[in-house]
Structure formats: C-alpha cells, structure tokens
Amino acid sequence: MLVIVWLDISTNVWSEVVILSGLAAGLVTFILTVMVLDKVVSRSTERRWAPVTRLALSEFLHALADDELSEISRGHIVPRTLPVLSAQEAAADGGLHRLRLQVVDERARLTDTLSRWSSFLASSSSNETVLFHIADIASSLDDVRDAALEAEHDPSEARLTVLRTHIDAVNARLAALEAELRTRLAAVA
C-alpha cells in the first residue's frame, strides 16, 4: 500500500495506466480481505459457536472414555485402549475374535460421533487436527482388525508381533486424540 501511495503522490502513473491501477486496487483488496477481514470474521464465528464446539468436543471425549477408569464429571478421562494380547491370550478360545469385536465397537463409536459432528467441526480450521486424529484412529483400527484376522489364520509369533504393533499404534493415537480434545476444550472455554 505504501508503494501504491508513493507512486500516486510522486507520479501520475495511475491516471495514465488505468488497467494497472485496477489490478493494483484488486490486489490490495484481496490482501486486506485475506489477511484481516477473513480472520476477524473467523474469530467472531468461532466465538459465537463456542458452546456448540464445546458440546461436540465433549461428546468425542465421552465416546473415548473408559467407563470404569474415568470420572467424567470430575474431568478425569482415561481413554479406552485395546488389550495387547499375549500368545496365550491370542491362542485362547476366541481371544482374537473378542479383540475384533472390540475393534468394530470402537470404530462404530468414533464414526457415529464423527458422522454427527464432522460437518460442523470441519467448518472451523481450528478443529481439523481433531478430525485428522479421528481419521487416523479409524484407519489404525482397520489395521488391527486385519492383523487379527491374519493372526487367527496363522497364529505365528511374527503375525502376533504385527498385531501388537498395530494395537500399540491405536492406543497411542487414542491418547493423542484425548490430549488434543482437552487442549481444544481449554481453548474454547
């Protein structure tokens, strides 16, 4: 803007080159809109929708919470985790099948909550990290399910090691999502 004003004061370029002056005005308008106006409107919208954002993020925390270990009313939330099966537990009657059922249940809980809130949360760029965490967890849960199926057909130690690696990844992602949700809730509060 300073260059444009300086050119206007020291020369009469803008009156001689009308097309260039229109392009310069458009560029300045675009930059001001992107750098100032868009951010002001975005912050205002986030403040206005903060109660709904808190509700959505809280619902995700509730969907993650282990009912036995968490005290949600006191703000103590421990995310549910998948059990890391030993070779004996995996070989036991139905151990891998129970794990697959738990994976399906966990994925259903997350995707059900996501289906209710995804369009709302996606409307704000500050919530995209939460959505990416959830997508990563859903993908990781699919990996656990597939590894459990493979381990059921071939219960070798190599297959069980792959399964444990996928379970550890899911559990780490669940903890990361819980931490991100707490951070976002603190920012919205």
Side-chain angles (χ1 to χ4, degrees):
M1 283 180 42
L2 291 173
V3 170
I4 292 170
V5 170
W6 176 77
L7 281 172
D8 191 35
I9 292 172
S10 64
T11 67
N12 65 356
V13 165
W14 301 126
S15 62
E16 293 174 6
V17 188
V18 176
I19 293 175
L20 186 59
S21 66
L23 290 173
L27 178 64
V28 168
T29 303
F30 173 75
I31 290 173
L32 285 175
T33 300
V34 169
M35 296 183 80
V36 178
L37 187 62
D38 191 40
K39 291 180 182 180
V40 169
V41 169
S42 177
R43 271 188 242 125
S44 172
T45 302
E46 283 191 30
R47 277 193 304 272
R48 186 173 60 242
W49 288 98
V52 180
T53 302
R54 274 193 304 277
L55 176 65
L57 297 176
S58 295
E59 191 166 333
F60 277 112
L61 271 177
H62 284 267
L64 286 177
D66 185 317
D67 294 332
E68 294 175 13
L69 300 175
S70 299
E71 292 183 39
I72 295 173
S73 62
R74 294 186 176 152
H76 178 70
I77 296 174
V78 177
R80 279 184 314 283
T81 56
L82 297 177
V84 180
L85 301 176
S86 67
Q88 294 81 13
E89 291 170 326
D93 188 35
L96 290 171
H97 180 71
R98 283 190 301 278
L99 174 65
R100 282 198 336 268
L101 290 176
Q102 184 179 355
V103 165
V104 169
D105 182 54
E106 292 297 328
R107 194 173 193 290
R109 285 181 191 217
L110 276 178
T111 55
D112 182 50
T113 307
L114 183 62
S115 69
R116 280 191 299 256
W117 293 106
S118 63
S119 61
F120 173 76
L121 291 174
S123 68
S124 171
S125 63
S126 61
N127 294 316
E128 70 183 17
T129 305
V130 171
L131 296 174
F132 289 143
H133 275 304
I134 294 167
D136 286 343
I137 291 169
S139 176
S140 295
L141 286 169
D142 290 343
D143 293 340
V144 169
R145 183 199 60 225
D146 295 345
L149 276 171
E150 290 176 10
E152 228 175 72
H153 295 296
D154 175 20
S156 67
E157 188 57 39
R159 296 269 187 202
L160 291 174
T161 300
V162 170
L163 175 61
R164 288 184 200 112
T165 302
H166 288 305
I167 290 171
D168 289 340
V170 166
N171 290 340
R173 286 186 170 107
L174 286 167
L177 175 60
E178 185 264 340
E180 179 64 28
L181 288 168
R182 284 181 179 273
T183 302
R184 286 291 307 131
L185 276 169
V188 173

